């Protein structure tokens, strides 16, 4: 069966997406867990060690606190409480921290620093993985042992107000709740008022034991305007007043209660300097943890500085405070200062329960647990504890008893620290089998693409794909048999859970059939390659294709980029790689232009010496290779240009370089220089709102001038009104100034304005689609097809203008300007083929991905773009808008590539060549990176650096698959028209 190279490449990319998905499922595994008991099943607590004596402490200790109130402020950074902002905006909280009855800590949140995994860490004491970043958008029920479940089983009555993520995780645990949508980031007022309005009544009631309040407003302000916004101070002052109100109410309740109460102030994660979160910067992982209770009364002059602890330590601490079992999968250690005023026997009892729980978890997850230093320390501590209990029961007071008790205490604390660290290092067990299956599919696809290059990039751009031969191949059945045997052996012998073993046999069999068929296709391609080399000559590629200087640059740049992915520093600063490659490409193009200018001006006589008359007129005949032929053809075309056009051609590479240099100063990204001020920070500050407004208006006007030139009259009107609506939307939400606004009172959510723009986006896209369909019906109507493609491109540009923040509109302007300059004054005069133009589009698309402020950190994803024009959270539109806003650069450059090749390319196979090249150049880094992360899976930075990049590569491959399908569809319409 003969397939076009574009269709073949699209099919390969779809298969590769499947392989990457399986690999990701195996690479991002579940955390360490206890397998010996049923989830949430109650079991008797470990008795107090007594060394032969008879102890009556065999049950859980009674609760330390009568009521617990947890105030979780989303995205609360530690310096918002303990720094200058806390002193200025949270005076009551500062008083409690410095002089009140409290203990303060800086709790470190492990990446990924997004809400749902952090709630799981706080309530279970476990370390969620990066797969929870995806689950964060649709939180499933938490089945793992947790504090909320243990409290409900113990009869504690719990009330919750705030982020709906809690209700999704614990749907039947609260006796009363009122949840608010967490993803509507444009709202930072009502989302908190909906929590606070319940406080007056609930604090007067006595029918609850645990009250959980999750405030979202601070996080939403961060996403909208960053941590330096004036709104941050107002929100912190509001939270301070709420904390004072709660604390006063709890103090009044203690007068009639036998036990003190506990107020917990904490954050789920921090906030980066851009206002986002998800990565591992200090600002994102450092959160305050303040425990306030009359049981912590301090003497005058007792200065307690915040100590550094792990966020997972809160689960064990609250379990001790409520008198319930510690969640069995918790890797945290309870905060000892909470019980330091208790009698030493009770302190030792609490420490013993925590160390027993950690040692059991260690035994079930570490094969050689007996040799673990923490386990050895625990055994020594437990033995000393038994001796102490025996002495205690024999004689209640003696100096020996006190000294031994102090020693046991230190031993337990050391054992807790070592055990917790050992378990934290056992973050997860990799699902190696699923990783191997996914990697095999990806590598088979890459091998097939590489072997298909000569045919796919040939003049016909078609390949012979044998579909029936594998069914009659011995290799196919032998491979299928071996894979099935391996699958049975692995799935019946593995002790840990394996995703690929849990799928149905139909799915697993389909994957094995696919792997066998791909192997047969590879062997067939190898055989054909060998035969063609043996009988058809030495060169595999068409004779007309010879490696030029630009081709060499493209090859070296691609290989260099792939090799750079093996170093964590290059991944963190990958934007520098793309900036270098794009700048080098511009210089290479400049060199090529000036060479053609010299040849076209008669500086090199070789071209003129070989002009000979042919049967159809004068033709260029060169003794050199195809590269010399193309150089002279380009020089001849250059000589035919007018004077003004020549100047534009000569100046275009330098103009592109200037645009790239300007954009590098707009957004500092990466890690090393992300904290430094840039033009984006300067523009978004409240002092320069007028400058930002003028820049946004000028950018929108420039976008219209660059895009409208090839639109239909109706689309021009829609584009103009849509861009006007973009400015109105930004003015409505307070980003830019407008003459009809009177202060901040007129600031709204911009719902109407954004939907106004969406109407024009859909209208332009509909018009473009209609023109494409009309061009298929009327085969001669090529103008309709060209206009339809451009209008689809225009609709995407309008949507990008709406979703980009105002200070990033110059990125869109420069992108359009560079596309115009390259198309009109570089690619046409230099006669670049479809493959070279495709690679250049890909490189510029990657560079503009970073120009808009993205990086390989999850924190740079602007989730606020997913809620433009939405009144409530809707999963599919929000996910689509967020993905599009993140990948605006690659998508717009790919769309422009389709337009350029459909309009300017002379070869009918141009689109197929482009689709194949696009698929190949994206497959190479993905395949190489999968091998790299597999070999580096125990690297120190695997979770903070390599894993986020792997997620980005997976999503980028999915975007590439959609682009290749679009390429194939456009190629099919062109072939139908022909």
């Amino acid at each position: 069966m003969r397939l076009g190279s574009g269709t073949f490449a699209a099919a390969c990319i779809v298969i590769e997406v499947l392989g990457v998905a399986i690999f990701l499922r195996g690479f991002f595994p579940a955390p360490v867990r206890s397998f010996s008991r049923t989830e949430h099943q109650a079991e008797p607590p470990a008795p107090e060690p007594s060394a032969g004596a008879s102890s009556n402490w065999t049950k859980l200790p009674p609760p330390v606190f009568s009521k617990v109130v947890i105030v979780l402020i989303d995205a609360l950074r530690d310096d918002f409480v303990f720094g200058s902002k806390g002193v200025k905006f949270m005076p009551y909280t500062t008083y409690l921290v410095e002089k009140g009855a409290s203990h303060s800590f800086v709790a470190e949140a492990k990446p990924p620093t997004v809400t749902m995994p952090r709630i799981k860490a706080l309530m279970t004491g476990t370390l969620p993985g990066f797969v929870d970043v995806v689950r964060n958008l649709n939180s499933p029920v938490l089945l793992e042992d947790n504090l909320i479940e243990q409290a409900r089983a113990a009869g504690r009555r719990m009330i919750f107000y705030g982020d709906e993520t809690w209700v999704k995780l614990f749907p039947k645990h609260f006796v009363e709740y009122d949840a608010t949508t967490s993803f509507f980031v444009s709202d930072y007022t009502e989302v908190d008022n909906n929590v606070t309005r319940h406080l007056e009544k609930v604090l007067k009631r006595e029918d609850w034991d645990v009250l959980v309040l999750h405030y979202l407003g601070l996080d939403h302000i961060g996403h909208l305007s960053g941590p330096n916004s004036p709104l941050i101070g107002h929100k912190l002052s509001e939270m301070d007043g709420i904390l004072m109100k709660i604390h006063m109410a709890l103090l009044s309740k203690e007068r009639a209660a036998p036990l003190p109460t506990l107020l917990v102030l904490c954050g789920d994660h921090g906030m980066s300097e851009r206002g986002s979160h998800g990565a591992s910067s200090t600002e994102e992982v450092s959160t305050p943890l303040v425990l306030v209770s009359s049981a912590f009364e301090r003497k005058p002059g007792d200065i307690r500085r915040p100590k550094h602890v792990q966020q997972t330590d809160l689960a064990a601490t609250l379990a001790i405070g409520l008198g319930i079992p510690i969640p069995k999968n918790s890797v945290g250690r309870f905060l000892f200062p909470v019980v330091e005023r208790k009698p030493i026997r009770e302190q030792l009892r609490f420490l013993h329960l925590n160390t027993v729980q950690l040692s059991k978890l260690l035994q079930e997850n570490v094969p050689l647990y007996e040799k673990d230093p923490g386990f050895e320390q625990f055994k020594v501590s437990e033995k000393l504890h038994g001796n102490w209990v025996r002495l205690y029961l024999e004689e209640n007071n003696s100096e020996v008893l006190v000294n031994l008790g102090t020693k046991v205490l230190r031993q337990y604390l050391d054992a807790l620290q070592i055990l917790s660290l050992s378990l934290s290092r056992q973050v997860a067990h990799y699902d190696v089998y699923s990783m191997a299956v996914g990697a095999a599919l990806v590598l088979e696809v890459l091998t097939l693409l590489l072997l298909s290059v000569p045919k796919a990039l040939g003049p016909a751009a078609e390949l012979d794909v044998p579909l029936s031969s594998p069914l009659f191949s011995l290799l196919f059945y032998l491979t299928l048999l071996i894979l099935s045997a391996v699958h049975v052996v692995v799935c019946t012998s593995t002790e840990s859970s394996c995703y690929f073993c849990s799928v149905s046999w139909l799915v697993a069999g389909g994957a094995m059939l696919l792997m066998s068929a791909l192997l047969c296709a590879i062997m067939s391609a190898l055989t054909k390659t060998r035969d063609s080399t043996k009988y058809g000559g030495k060169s595999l590629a068409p004779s007309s294709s010879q490696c030029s200087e630009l081709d060499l640059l493209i090859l070296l740049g691609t290989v260099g980029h792939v090799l750079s992915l093996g170093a964590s520093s290059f991944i963190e600063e990958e934007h520098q790689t793309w900036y270098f490659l794009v700048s080098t490409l511009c210089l290479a193009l400049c060199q090529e232009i000036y060479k053609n200018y010299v040849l076209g001006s008669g500086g090199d006589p070789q071209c003129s010496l070989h002009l000979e008359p042919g049967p159809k007129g004068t033709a260029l005949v060169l003794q050199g290779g195809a590269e010399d032929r193309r150089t002279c053809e380009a020089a001849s075309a250059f000589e035919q240009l007018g004077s003004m056009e020549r100047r534009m051609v000569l100046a275009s590479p330098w103009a592109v370089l200037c645009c790239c240099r300007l954009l590098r100063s707009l957004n500092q990204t990466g890690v090393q220089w992300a904290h430094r001020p840039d033009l984006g920070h300067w523009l978004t500050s409240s002092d320069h709102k007028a400058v930002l407004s003028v820049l946004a208006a000028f950018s929108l006007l420039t976008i219209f001038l660059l895009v409208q030139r090839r639109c239909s009259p109706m689309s021009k009107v829609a584009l103009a009104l849509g861009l006007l609506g973009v400015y109105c939307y930004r003015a409505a939400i307070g980003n830019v100034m407008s003459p009809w606004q009177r202060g901040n009172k007129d600031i709204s959510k911009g719902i109407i304005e954004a939907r106004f723009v969406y109407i024009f986006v859909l209208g332009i896209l509909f018009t473009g689609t209609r023109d494409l369909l009309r061009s298929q019906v009327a085969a001669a109507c090529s103008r309709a097809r060209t206009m339809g493609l451009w209008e689809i491109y225009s609709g995407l540009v309008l949507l990008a203008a709406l979703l980009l923040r105002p200070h990033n509109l110059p990125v869109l302007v420069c992108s359009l300007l560079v596309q115009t300059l390259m198309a009109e004054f570089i690619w046409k005069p230099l006669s670049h083929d479809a493959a070279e133009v495709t690679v250049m589009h890909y490189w510029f698309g990657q560079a503009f991905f970073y120009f808009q402020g993205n990086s390989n950190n999850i924190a740079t994803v602007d989730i606020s773009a997913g809620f433009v024009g939405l009144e409530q959270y809707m999963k599919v539109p929000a996910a689509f808008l967020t993905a599009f806003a993140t990948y605006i650069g690659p998508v717009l450059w790919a769309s422009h590539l389709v337009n350029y090749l459909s309009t300017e390319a002379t070869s009918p196979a141009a689109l197929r060549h482009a689709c194949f090249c696009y698929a190949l150049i994206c497959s190479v880094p993905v395949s190489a990176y999968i091998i790299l992360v597999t070999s580096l899976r125990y690297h120190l930075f695997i979770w903070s650096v390599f894993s986020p990049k792997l997620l980005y590569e997976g999503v980028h491959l999915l975007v590439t698959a959609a682009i290749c399908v679009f390429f194939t569809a456009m190629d099919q319409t062109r072939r139908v028209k022909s």
Side-chain angles (χ1 to χ4, degrees):
M1 178 180 179
R2 293 188 67 82
L3 285 178
S5 57
T7 306
F8 174 76
C12 286
I13 284 292
V14 171
I15 296 173
E16 195 168 3
V17 168
L18 174 64
V20 170
I22 296 174
F23 181 87
L24 289 176
R25 184 59 180 82
F27 186 81
F28 295 112
V32 291
R33 291 189 179 180
S34 175
F35 302 101
S36 62
R37 310 180 298 277
T38 307
E39 298 290 342
H40 314 311
Q41 180 179 344
E43 67 171 23
E48 182 183 48
S50 55
S54 178
S55 171
N56 59 352
W57 281 25
T58 58
K59 298 181 179 180
L60 278 174
V64 180
F65 307 105
S66 59
K67 292 183 182 296
V68 176
V69 178
I70 302 173
V71 180
L72 193 157
I73 302 176
D74 211 294
L76 184 66
R77 241 162 55 169
D78 64 322
D79 60 330
F80 286 175
V81 176
F82 304 135
S84 58
K85 282 189 172 70
V87 174
K88 182 177 181 180
F89 300 113
M90 304 186 75
Y92 187 76
T93 306
T94 302
Y95 167 78
L96 290 177
V97 168
E98 295 179 350
K99 300 179 180 179
S102 66
H103 289 292
S104 303
F105 308 92
V106 176
E108 180 185 352
K110 298 293 185 183
T113 48
V114 292
T115 297
M116 192 271 283
R118 294 300 97 220
I119 295 175
K120 290 174 68 174
L122 289 167
M123 293 296 105
T124 65
T126 60
L127 297 172
F130 267 86
V131 71
D132 289 307
V133 174
V134 180
R135 294 178 181 172
N136 186 61
L137 297 175
N138 186 24
S139 310
V141 176
L142 182 60
L143 301 177
E144 193 174 349
D145 191 17
N146 59 80
L147 272 178
I148 302 297
E149 174 62 30
Q150 293 285 7
R152 187 182 72 159
R156 304 293 191 271
R157 296 159 298 177
M158 295 172 289
I159 296 176
F160 170 76
Y161 304 119
D163 183 358
E164 65 179 355
T165 305
W166 288 77
V167 180
K168 292 180 179 180
L169 291 172
F170 314 107
K172 299 179 181 179
H173 297 70
F174 301 108
V175 296
E176 179 184 321
Y177 65 85
D178 186 7
T180 55
T181 301
S182 58
F183 289 103
F184 189 57
V185 296
S186 298
D187 175 26
Y188 51 83
T189 304
E190 294 299 325
V191 73
D192 285 346
N193 291 342
N194 195 54
V195 178
T196 306
R197 66 188 178 94
H198 297 284
L199 287 182
E200 192 72 32
K201 294 181 180 179
V202 77
L203 290 175
K204 294 178 180 179
R205 291 158 45 185
E206 298 291 339
D207 60 344
W208 56 270
D209 301 299
V210 179
L211 175 63
V212 182
L213 309 172
H214 189 148
Y215 285 94
L216 290 162
L218 187 71
D219 178 68
H220 291 184
I221 292 173
H223 283 297
L224 287 172
S225 51
N228 299 315
S229 168
L231 297 172
I232 294 287
H234 296 304
K235 183 57 67 175
L236 292 177
S237 298
E238 178 188 341
M239 295 295 104
D240 190 58
I242 291 169
L243 288 168
M244 182 173 68
K245 183 178 183 178
I246 296 172
H247 187 223
M248 292 300 179
L250 291 179
L251 289 178
S252 65
K253 286 180 179 293
E254 286 186 3
R255 297 167 188 163
L259 295 174
T261 58
L262 175 66
L263 171 60
V264 180
L265 168 65
C266 61
D268 55 347
H269 51 74
M271 182 188 298
S272 71
E273 287 302 319
R274 294 181 179 273
S276 190
H277 53 87
S280 56
S281 67
T282 304
E283 294 81 8
E284 292 167 84
V285 302
S286 300
T287 65
L289 176 59
V290 183
L291 307 179
V292 183
S293 175
S294 58
F296 309 148
E297 285 292 346
R298 70 171 87 181
K299 298 177 182 178
D302 182 8
I303 300 176
R304 300 173 181 173
R305 300 188 183 280
K307 300 177 182 177
H308 284 263
V309 298
Q310 296 299 314
Q311 200 177 57
T312 51
D313 296 340
L314 183 62
T317 305
L318 291 180
I320 295 294
L322 291 169
I324 58 177
I326 298 173
K328 62 188 180 185
N329 298 321
S330 171
V331 299
R333 47 184 175 142
F334 92 97
L335 303 173
F336 183 72
V338 172
V339 297
E340 63 184 1
R341 289 178 175 267
K342 290 286 183 179
I344 191 168
R345 187 181 183 186
E346 294 184 28
Q347 295 178 14
L348 293 177
R349 175 68 171 147
F350 294 141
L351 289 167
H352 179 250
L353 289 172
N354 198 183
T355 49
V356 167
Q357 175 261 325
L358 290 178
S359 65
K360 287 183 177 179
L361 192 61
L362 186 78
Q363 293 177 48
E364 295 172 6
N365 289 276
V366 179
L368 301 176
Y369 65 90
E370 299 96 340
K371 297 181 180 180
D372 187 90
F375 188 80
E376 294 175 352
Q377 184 89 345
F378 160 66
K379 284 301 181 182
V380 173
S381 305
E382 192 174 43
K383 185 176 180 180
L384 289 174
H385 188 187
N387 294 334
W388 185 91
V389 171
R390 181 171 53 80
L391 284 174
Y392 178 84
L393 295 176
E394 291 175 358
E395 48 176 317
N396 210 358
N397 261 322
S398 74
E399 188 176 346
V400 175
L401 189 68
V402 174
N403 292 336
L404 182 59
T406 305
K407 181 179 180 180
V408 176
L409 202 67
R410 287 198 302 266
Q411 292 275 4
Y412 267 134
L413 290 173
D414 291 342
L416 274 177
Q417 182 178 4
I418 300 172
L419 283 170
S420 178
L421 185 60
S422 297
L423 286 167
S424 298
R425 287 173 177 169
Q426 300 284 328
V427 172
H429 300 290
Y430 291 102
D431 183 357
V432 179
Y433 182 49
S434 298
M435 290 170 60
V437 172
L441 280 171
V442 171
L443 293 176
E444 282 184 327
V445 168
L446 177 63
T447 305
L448 195 57
L449 285 173
L450 291 173
L451 291 173
S452 305
V453 168
K455 291 288 186 180
L457 296 183
E462 291 184 342
L463 300 99
D464 289 318
V465 181
L467 296 180
S468 58
S469 57
L471 298 177
F472 305 99
S473 170
L474 178 61
L475 176 63
F476 175 79
Y477 291 105
L478 184 61
T479 306
L480 183 60
L481 182 62
I482 294 174
L483 292 176
S484 302
V486 170
H487 185 73
V488 171
V489 170
V490 170
C491 295
T492 54
S493 63
T494 183
E495 296 180 358
S496 59
S497 60
C498 176
Y499 168 73
F500 201 68
C501 292
S502 64
V503 300
S504 66
W505 262 101
L506 183 64
V507 176
M512 288 183 282
L513 283 169
L514 188 59
M515 292 171 67
S516 303
L518 285 173
L519 182 61
C520 290
I522 290 172
M523 297 306 297
S524 175
L526 281 172
T527 303
K528 291 180 179 179
T529 302
R530 184 194 62 188
D531 294 342
S532 62
T533 305
K534 185 175 181 180
Y535 301 108
K538 296 182 180 180
S539 177
L540 297 176
S543 59
S544 62
S545 63
Q546 199 172 29
C547 188
S548 65
E549 294 175 356
L550 186 62
D551 296 333
L552 185 61
L553 171 64
I554 289 171
L555 178 62
L556 292 177
T558 302
V559 173
H561 169 250
V562 171
L563 293 177
S564 72
L565 297 178
S568 59
S569 298
F570 276 93
I571 292 176
E572 291 176 336
E573 309 297 328
E574 189 183 355
H575 60 285
Q576 301 286 6
T577 302
W578 288 111
Y579 296 167
F580 171 78
L581 289 177
V582 167
S583 300
T584 307
L585 176 64
C586 290
L587 291 176
L589 292 172
C590 186
Q591 183 265 346
E592 189 175 358
I593 288 173
Y594 278 86
K595 182 172 68 174
N596 293 331
Y597 174 75
V598 172
L599 290 176
S601 301
D604 192 331
Q606 289 186 356
C607 292
S608 58
L609 288 174
H610 295 86
L611 283 171
E612 296 181 0
K616 295 184 179 181
T618 305
L620 268 171
V621 180
L622 294 175
Q623 295 178 356
E627 173 62 16
D628 296 329
R629 185 187 303 276
R630 197 183 81 171
T631 300
C632 286
E633 288 175 351
S636 177
F638 190 87
E639 191 176 6
Q640 296 174 8
L641 296 175
S643 175
M644 187 62 184
E645 290 177 331
R646 283 194 187 188
R647 293 174 184 172
M648 289 298 298
V649 170
L650 293 173
S652 291
W654 301 106
V656 173
L657 275 174
C658 291
C659 287
C660 294
R661 185 63 190 89
L662 176 65
L663 293 180
R664 289 180 66 173
S665 303
L666 185 63
N667 291 302
Q668 292 285 2
T669 185
V671 174
Q672 297 295 330
W673 295 278
H675 63 282
R676 294 187 178 181
D678 51 34
L679 286 176
H681 282 93
W682 187 84
L683 288 169
T684 53
S685 66
S686 57
D687 297 334
H688 307 110
K689 192 173 182 179
V691 179
L692 179 62
S693 303
V694 173
L695 180 64
F698 177 76
S699 298
L700 293 172
L701 178 61
T702 309
I703 291 170
F704 174 75
L705 295 176
L706 290 172
V707 175
Q708 57 84 32
R709 52 198 172 92
R710 289 168 58 184
C711 292
S712 64
M714 186 67 70
S715 295
K716 288 182 182 180
V717 175
L719 181 64
L721 293 176
L723 292 173
L724 179 62
V726 170
Y727 190 89
C728 293
Y729 165 73
R730 290 298 170 183
I733 64 175
N735 292 147
V736 297
M737 301 170 64
S738 64
W740 55 84
Q741 279 187 340
R742 298 291 183 268
N744 292 331
K745 294 183 179 180
D746 294 333
I747 294 177
S748 67
K749 299 176 183 177
I751 302 294
I752 297 176
E753 292 84 352
R755 291 180 176 177
F756 176 79
V757 179
Y758 282 139
I759 291 174
F760 291 112
V761 170
L762 293 175
I764 295 174
L765 292 176
F766 173 79
T767 304
T769 306
R770 183 198 61 189
D771 290 341
L772 286 177
L773 294 176
R774 190 176 65 182
S775 69
Q776 275 191 288
V777 176
C781 191
S782 59
R783 186 174 180 275
R785 183 175 184 275
T786 302
M787 186 176 293
L789 285 172
W790 186 260
E791 287 178 340
I792 290 177
Y793 171 74
S794 304
L796 295 178
V797 170
L798 179 57
L799 181 60
L802 175 64
L803 298 182
L804 284 174
R805 299 200 179 196
H807 75 277
N808 266 336
L809 286 174
V811 177
L812 184 57
V813 172
C814 289
S815 178
L816 298 175
L817 182 61
V818 170
Q819 288 172 358
T820 303
L821 291 174
M822 297 288 285
E824 295 295 329
F825 302 110
I826 294 180
W827 293 324
K828 285 183 187 177
L830 296 182
S831 304
H832 289 118
D833 58 31
E836 292 173 342
V837 172
T838 301
V839 175
M840 284 188 262
H841 272 84
Y842 179 84
W843 280 19
F844 275 103
Q846 290 297 102
F848 276 88
F849 172 82
Y850 293 103
F851 281 143
Q852 70 181 81
N854 290 318
S855 72
N856 288 324
N857 283 337
I858 299 174
T860 54
V861 176
D862 183 14
I863 65 170
S864 64
F867 306 94
V868 174
L870 302 182
E871 284 185 320
Q872 58 185 358
Y873 173 60
M874 291 184 285
K875 184 169 63 175
V876 175
F880 169 77
L881 292 175
T882 303
F884 179 79
T886 304
Y887 289 93
I888 281 174
V891 170
L892 287 185
W893 276 86
S895 178
H896 182 270
L897 175 61
V898 175
N899 275 278
Y900 176 78
L901 293 180
S902 299
T903 307
E904 304 295 338
T906 56
S907 171
L911 278 176
R912 277 169 279 170
H913 286 164
C915 183
F916 185 86
C917 289
Y918 209 94
L920 180 61
I921 200 170
C922 185
S923 298
V924 171
V926 171
S927 305
Y929 196 70
I930 280 178
I931 298 173
L932 284 170
V933 295
T934 302
S935 59
L936 298 174
R937 62 186 182 277
Y938 298 112
H939 193 278
L940 179 63
F941 301 134
I942 187 64
W943 298 115
S944 58
V945 178
F946 291 98
S947 295
K949 171 63 177 175
L950 183 60
L951 287 176
Y952 271 107
E953 287 292 338
V955 178
H956 186 211
L957 186 69
L958 184 63
V959 173
T960 303
I963 290 172
C964 288
V965 170
F966 181 65
F967 269 96
T968 305
M970 293 302 100
D971 182 56
Q972 294 298 323
T973 59
R974 183 171 183 171
R975 294 177 72 183
V976 168
K977 186 190 76 170
S978 301

